[in-house]
Amino acid sequence: MIETIKKYRDSFGGYTELRLQSNHQVQVVLKEGSLVVNRTATSSGVSARCYDAGSFGFSSTPEVDEAGIVRVIQEASANARLLGQIAGAKEPPLPELGPGRGNYDYHTVRRKWTSSELLALIQEVDGHLRGKHPQLLSVDVGVVSLAMEKALVTSIGAETYSYIPRANLYVNLAMEHKGDIVEVGRVFGGFGELEDHFQDVPALIADLDHLYDLLAQKAGGVVPRAGVADVILHPDVAGILAHEAIGHTCEADLVLGGSIAGAYRGRQVASEKLTLVDYMARSPDGQASIAIHVDDEGTPCRDVTIIENGVLKGFLHSKETARIMGVEPTGNARAYRFSDEPLVRMRNTAIVPGDDTLEDMISSIDHGYYLVRPTNGQADATSEFMFGIGLGYEINNGKLGPAIRDTTVSGVAFDMLKTVTHISKDTVWSRGGMCGKKQPIPVGMGGPAIKCRISVGGV
Amino acid sequence: MNALHQRVTEAPEVGDLAEAAVKQVMLRGADEAQAITVHAQTFEVNFERVEVTLLRSHEQQTTEVTAFRGGKRGSSSFTGRRGLGSAVRAAVDGADAGLPDEANRVVAEGRPEATFIHGPTDCDRKEMVEAVLAYVHHVSRAHPKIRPDSSHYSFTLKRVSFANSAGLRRFAQRGAYHFYTCFAGRDGDRSASLNYTSQSAWWPLERLIEVGTLDRILRETERSFEPRPIGDKFVGDLLIAPDCVPSMIGPMVQALDGYNLRSGTTPYADALGEAVASDGITLRNRPAWMGFPNGSDFDADGVPTGDVDVIVGGRLNSFLIDRFSSIKLGRPQTAGSLNLQLEGGEASVESLIANTERGVLLGRFSGGKPNRNLDFSGVAKNAFYIEDGRIQHALSETMVSGNLGSLLRQVRGVSKEVINFGGGAYPWLAVGGATLSSG
């Protein structure tokens, strides 16, 4: 891919990024035993973005040929000039951290599955669940894989290729219990391709039986008591907290757009035990669900410590936000499709592990909740957040109690994080995770379990 | 044409490509085939803070090819003009690997050919940039505490072509403008919550400040720097703003779809003809209505869209059944695209506020996914406390919970003001029976 666009670098008239990109997707969905989606998709094209004295211009086309590439370079440049003429901006050049280079190819080394082999896997999962658990009201099984393949050259010398795959299998189960419909879902897989994750079908089947057991527990579960409670957030919930409630408020474009984090820099915003980082690549443990080495502006990525020992330290930057705030870019500018411009996005965002054990954390709570699986999450510029909880347990007298029904938890992150008293030793990364912000983008989130106080919805 | 105008290419290949795809799938031994090509050219003016930051012009063309063989189905899509051969192979391979189903067949009914042309074919780029500059200058002068973020004003010319092996041909062209803005408030060390709104229109939006609900929600944000919790838990009213209505009725609408009917996971399975909402509620699905630039003339299977009265005077009149589910259920197809119009009532917004004894003006709702029984809980956003018929103060950390089905049976007022966002149209709703609490 890189060879296709390299030769056009000499035609750049000023600051220019030229990106060739293909997103490769597979999507197969079995609902109620009917194959409702069975498709592959390739979205390919080329884009250019130019910068001229404070004005950006962008252009893209799906036609990856000489005419198409020349046209997007010219049109992006013309758009930047047009904006400069009308808006009259006069800004300095963009800051640079040296050109990002490298080849980051994560293609699977395994033989690729045929469509028949993939469908056989899904049918086996569906058939097992329906056969062994006839009490189930509905079974939905789906596979989604996305590999983002990008080549980038820039006028300042960045030259990089990446192929970043992620593959997931989703299972949602529902059953009826005393007139109510109760559901649980789980995402399997993660970084890599389908063939990297689902070779061990017996292990997957065992996990599915466990998922059914969780559904049965939830069906007989209790509705939590509304109010502020001591809770333990499982890493899946702590991860969404790190992403939604902290990460977004510390994206520099949102800081410039009014986020409360702008006022808190250098202040204590969390317990001294808490450090939170947005990691480049696949994080230090090599287990995060995405990998970003060079961003889509050609900046080599670096880890960004957002909170260190409870103090708000840093923000996530593109070249533009770095220019405005007078700092170095951090390699957080990412685009989803070939036709998208880079935006400030998170990579792998997580709380750094502590030294507590989950057992000690549970035994430290007289009455509270262990919140295990989020359904969704949203946060605000004020750091007020909300997460849906699809699976959790009561904690009574230091022991896990009955499962709880669906609930919602909420709070103000920069207040709530000051209540963190325990952080577990282990890190768990999410298997999937898409973030929405003008464009969708795959993100990684995770970390340890944390103990804190949070507002729980209920009766 | 002025050089500042959106470049418009003749695109007969959009239709040719869909037809070529169908032919190639059939040549590879499929029993039936269909293809849909979507070609879109967009010019977009992006702004953040009070600056225009980026001019973006982009072209997209995606063709989705579907093969049917032995009652099985497989699909593959590609972008641009190249890639047809590999997409055809992938679609046929997918069909061979698929599962047979009675619903896997192309549409053979209806007019063989239909063409729909709506809206302009080009835009004036300079005028669009100037409209955004005028807006950001207005915000900086009249609303200095407002910080726009990730906002844009765009024009898109979209052409959609459909063909299938039964001889159906469809072509639709829509040229429309779209405005989206997101913003927060900032005053010294204080921030006010994010809010956003959008509008689509056939013609240029000359004064962006007049878009939909924008002026009102900008002013509400300026009054939200000192929010307070609601205090004691109580059961009260919600005054749901038009921007928020889709998130409150969306789960109910989803419960009326074909999948939930098939799986038995809807509380409305036996509710056809029954009262499912207060008698002031009339909800229609109108994808083909010319009031919705974001509508569609036919669905992904080439079936023409049309008006469906979903709820009339509070009674459930129709489910929203897509083509696949309609064959599985043996019921008529009633949906393929979703563009909802909730009919306005008689009340003014002021009277709805004045008649609220105790409750919350809900600008946005940030909630967990409601369960299949439509029980919900979440946080009131961009919200204000109402007591004794007056707005008292902005709210923070306020939970709202209840059952969406029950709320719709307790509608006590619908505003005559209806906001048409261009893909949906909603009034204000005053409902009772919500549980409201803080902490």
Side-chain angles (χ1 to χ4, degrees), chain A residues 338-382:
Chain A
F338 72 90
S339 53
D340 289 329
E341 76 279 22
L343 304 176
V344 177
R345 308 307 294 261
M346 283 170 264
R347 290 101 33 121
N348 297 297
T349 315
I351 293 168
V352 173
D355 51 13
D356 296 302
T357 66
L358 183 61
E359 293 72 25
D360 289 345
M361 292 162 73
I362 292 171
S363 64
S364 72
I365 293 179
D366 287 336
H367 177 77
Y369 299 98
Y370 178 35
L371 305 175
V372 177
R373 198 159 295 157
T375 54
N376 66 332
Q378 293 170 352
D380 195 351
T382 59

Side-chain angles (χ1 to χ4, degrees), chain A residues 154-177:
Chain A
T154 73
S155 53
I156 64 123
E159 189 176 307
T160 185
Y161 167 85
S162 61
Y163 179 90
I164 313 296
R166 193 166 71 181
N168 294 114
L169 185 144
Y170 299 82
V171 177
N172 285 299
L173 307 178
M175 71 190 310
E176 197 166 356
H177 181 80

Side-chain angles (χ1 to χ4, degrees), chain A residues 38-40 42 44 56 58-60 71 79 119 140 183 256 258 267 339 376 378 380 384 408 438, chain B residues 7 44 46 55-58 60 64 73 75-76 79 94 97 189 191 193-194 259 366 372 377 381 397:
Chain A
N38 179 23
R39 67 189 295 265
T40 61
T42 301
S44 303
F56 279 103
F58 181 95
S59 177
S60 72
R71 181 160 61 79
N79 280 339
L119 194 71
D140 295 345
E183 294 175 282
L256 292 166
R267 292 196 204 170
S339 53
N376 66 332
Q378 293 170 352
D380 195 351
E384 187 175 39
T408 304
K438 191 179 181 194
Chain B
R7 185 180 58 85
E44 182 182 87
N46 290 262
L55 299 189
R56 173 173 173 243
S57 44
H58 66 91
Q60 283 272 18
E64 173 132 345
R73 168 186 185 132
S75 298
S76 184
T79 45
D189 278 2
S191 287
S193 288
L194 287 167
Y259 166 68
S366 175
R372 302 286 177 105
S377 66
K381 303 298 298 182
E397 299 185 71

